[in-house]
Amino acid sequence: MTERSNFGSKLGVVLASAGSAVGLGNVWRFPTEVGNNGGAAFILIYLLCVLAVGVPVMMSEFLIGRHTNANTITAFSKLAPGKWWRIEGVAGVFVAFLILSYYTIISGWTLYYLVQSLKGALLTDQDYSVYFNSFVSEPFTPLLYAIIFMVMTHLVIARGVQSGIERFSKIMMPMLLLIIGILVVCSFGMPGAGTGLRFLLKPDFSKVTASVVLSAMGQAFFSLSLAMGCLCTYASYFTPDTKLVKTAVSVCSIDTFVAVLSGFIIFPAVFSVPNVSPDEGPGLVFVTLPNVFNIAFHSIPVLGYIFSGLFYMLLLLAALTSAMSLHESVTAYVIESWGIPRKKASAMVSASCMTLGVLCSLSFGVLSDFTICGLTIFGLFDFCASKIIMPAGGLIICLFVGWYLDRKLVYNELTNCDTVPFRLFRFYIFLVRYVVPIAIGLIFINELLG
Ligand code: TRP
């Protein structure tokens, strides 16, 4: 087998992993969940979930990946030869593929909206829900944009770990952070900033129910790219001196920071326009925001042009770095287990994923009446991935590290053979053995019943 690549620098490690985590989940899904679940109280619970569940699960994925230096399926087979644990690796690669197929479709929408905002088309008086619905239900245009997006992802992955993933993450992540900074400042200057900030900062605990807690946990999983082998695959490119605990804490902090700042961008803007409500669901970014841009910047269209252009650019960059990680976890498997060279492997993954993506995209239009158990194809993929296989994957990873793996191996991996102190090791083991499995078990039961 050829020599395996590594990330070339510490910064590359953090930016690539943060790139995987920061995605549509932060800028699109998080504000939607905050809006639907009553604001600040949801954010507090979310923070708790990131600390108690997100950080330990991420550390576990990192240690599995770095210890085995292999794609997710091989990683589990190496650590537990001939055992059923391998099924987690198989599920991870399979679901990364599934998620990529519909993630690409939504990412294609963001690319379309970016182009439209640069053409000024999002600053005209029109009903944006009609605009959005007629765009997504049309068969060809959304697919065309999804294909362009997939080609972009493919080109990065085909270049490999250092000159593809690491290099582009180092360019895109700083750009993304810069854009967020600019947009937060702009948003604070909007007339609704006060109301928006109050919504985000003043917790109303009367809105907290079991299902809100469980949504926060599901959101943490999705946003941190957990349980699907993405971070395991990236960790297999970490060098022996990469500090796993520190990296996991940095990645979780960056991801959470971006999610909260996205709230700070979106809610002041949303509240600055009368009769627009923050709990409009998934249309928040594609329907509510164009309305806001149009109304709020009516008298100074140049600002609206810049604001909307930057906003969709932000979404696109975030989506691209996440799609790269989903793509890489499948491609790494194809390269290593089927012995296919990277460029060809990457092309095979892109093409087959896009084929599945066609079905997802058409399920918003031509195929919208085709349902399985009441869900469209897109809905079904999302349901299977985020509501069934993801929580189950997180559960299995924790049980694997907490109960199956040798304690010494886990300790050595997290402390780089006792050279980096990790005082909370026993607490970490307590979390992965008991707290996280029980918490995930609860989400799982709730999702299935609800
Ligand atoms: N975390 C990304 C986001 O916030 C999406 C993502 C990338 C993902 N890789 C993943 C989600 C693996 C689940 C599993 O948009």
Side-chain angles (χ1 to χ4, degrees):
M1 208 174 96
T2 48
E3 180 76 6
R4 233 168 160 271
S5 330
N6 276 325
F7 285 124
S9 66
K10 288 205 179 70
L11 185 68
V13 164
V14 173
L15 291 184
S17 313
S20 166
V22 173
L24 296 175
N26 301 60
V27 194
W28 171 58
R29 205 169 184 270
F30 180 77
T32 306
E33 293 277 303
V34 172
N36 286 340
N37 292 308
F42 178 85
I43 299 185
L44 281 180
I45 297 168
Y46 177 79
L47 294 180
L48 210 76
C49 291
V50 170
L51 274 178
V53 178
V55 178
V57 175
M58 192 177 285
M59 283 160 56
S60 309
E61 279 206 40
F62 278 172
L63 79 89
I64 295 173
R66 211 249 316 254
H67 183 79
T68 52
N69 265 309
N71 67 80
T72 320
I73 297 184
T74 314
F76 279 90
S77 313
K78 270 188 176 174
L79 285 170
K83 297 268 172 32
W84 277 95
W85 293 109
R86 183 172 186 273
I87 204 116
E88 164 55 20
V90 177
V93 170
F94 173 71
V95 176
F97 185 79
L98 210 61
I99 297 181
L100 184 60
S101 74
Y102 69 79
Y103 205 79
T104 305
I105 302 302
I106 315 259
S107 306
W109 298 354
T110 71
L111 182 60
Y112 176 81
Y113 269 69
L114 173 63
V115 173
Q116 296 309 307
S117 67
L118 295 180
K119 280 166 61 184
L122 297 186
L123 294 171
T124 53
D125 289 325
Q126 57 178 317
D127 183 336
Y128 281 97
S129 80
V130 174
Y131 180 85
F132 174 67
N133 286 324
S134 63
F135 163 64
V136 297
S137 58
E138 205 243 297
F140 298 111
T141 325
L143 268 181
L144 175 71
Y145 282 87
I147 291 173
I148 299 175
F149 180 85
M150 181 60 101
V151 169
M152 286 158 54
T153 313
H154 166 78
L155 290 177
V156 175
I157 296 302
R159 297 176 72 107
V161 177
Q162 273 197 17
S163 49
I165 299 174
E166 181 169 1
R167 184 154 144 239
F168 283 91
S169 302
K170 277 183 170 167
I171 301 172
M172 288 194 271
M173 290 307 285
M175 266 166 75
L176 181 145
L177 294 173
L178 179 72
I179 295 180
I180 291 193
I182 299 174
L183 289 179
V184 170
V185 174
C186 289
S187 210
F188 277 18
M190 294 184 73
T195 327
L197 290 181
R198 226 164 295 132
F199 179 74
L200 282 173
L201 296 177
K202 213 166 142 230
D204 172 4
F205 286 101
S206 67
K207 297 228 170 75
V208 178
T209 58
S211 102
V212 170
V213 177
L214 299 169
S215 309
M217 176 111 67
Q219 170 60 22
F221 259 88
F222 188 87
S223 184
L224 296 169
S225 299
L226 295 178
M228 270 10 331
C230 276
L231 294 177
C232 215
T233 308
Y234 273 16
S236 71
Y237 307 128
F238 291 1
T239 49
D241 63 345
T242 305
K243 295 177 182 142
L244 298 189
V245 180
K246 200 170 152 204
T247 308
V249 172
S250 312
V251 173
C252 289
S253 311
I254 296 176
D255 188 75
T256 308
F257 186 63
V258 171
V260 173
L261 287 187
S262 302
F264 280 130
I265 293 171
I266 290 175
F267 291 106
V270 167
F271 281 106
S272 63
V273 170
N275 302 328
V276 175
S277 125
D279 55 358
E280 311 234 325
L284 186 66
V285 161
F286 296 107
V287 177
T288 313
L289 274 190
N291 258 325
V292 168
F293 296 144
N294 182 32
I295 301 171
F297 296 109
H298 216 75
S299 47
I300 3 177
V302 182
L303 274 185
Y305 189 78
I306 298 174
F307 195 99
S308 61
L310 281 177
F311 182 79
Y312 290 107
M313 183 72 198
L314 164 71
L315 263 184
L316 183 68
L317 287 173
L320 195 54
T321 47
S322 297
M324 276 156 40
S325 71
L326 289 161
H327 198 302
E328 177 63 21
S329 50
V330 187
T331 306
Y333 166 69
V334 174
I335 296 173
E336 287 163 18
S337 293
W338 300 358
I340 293 175
R342 176 171 281 275
K343 285 203 167 61
K344 194 166 161 213
S346 169
M348 279 166 56
V349 174
S350 304
S352 45
C353 209
M354 207 51 240
T355 313
L356 206 59
V358 171
L359 293 178
C360 296
S361 184
L362 293 182
S363 73
F364 289 95
V366 189
L367 294 180
S368 62
D369 291 333
F370 177 76
T371 55
I372 300 168
C373 304
L375 293 167
T376 60
I377 299 172
F378 178 93
L380 185 74
F381 283 10
D382 187 41
F383 179 85
C384 290
S386 54
K387 306 229 158 138
I388 299 184
I389 308 178
M390 257 162 77
L395 182 70
I396 297 173
I397 288 177
C398 284
L399 295 177
F400 183 65
V401 172
W403 297 90
Y404 179 81
L405 278 189
D406 177 29
R407 189 72 59 86
K408 191 84 196 135
L409 181 156
V410 175
Y411 182 79
N412 280 342
E413 210 49 62
L414 291 178
T415 58
N416 292 356
C417 293
D418 222 0
T419 54
V420 186
F422 178 33
R423 266 181 248 113
L424 295 176
F425 181 71
R426 285 165 142 256
F427 182 58
Y428 161 78
I429 291 290
F430 173 69
L431 288 179
V432 290
R433 276 196 146 194
Y434 304 103
V435 178
V436 183
I438 293 172
I440 296 175
L442 289 177
I443 315 186
F444 206 29
I445 294 168
N446 179 77
E447 300 275 21
L448 286 183
L449 297 182

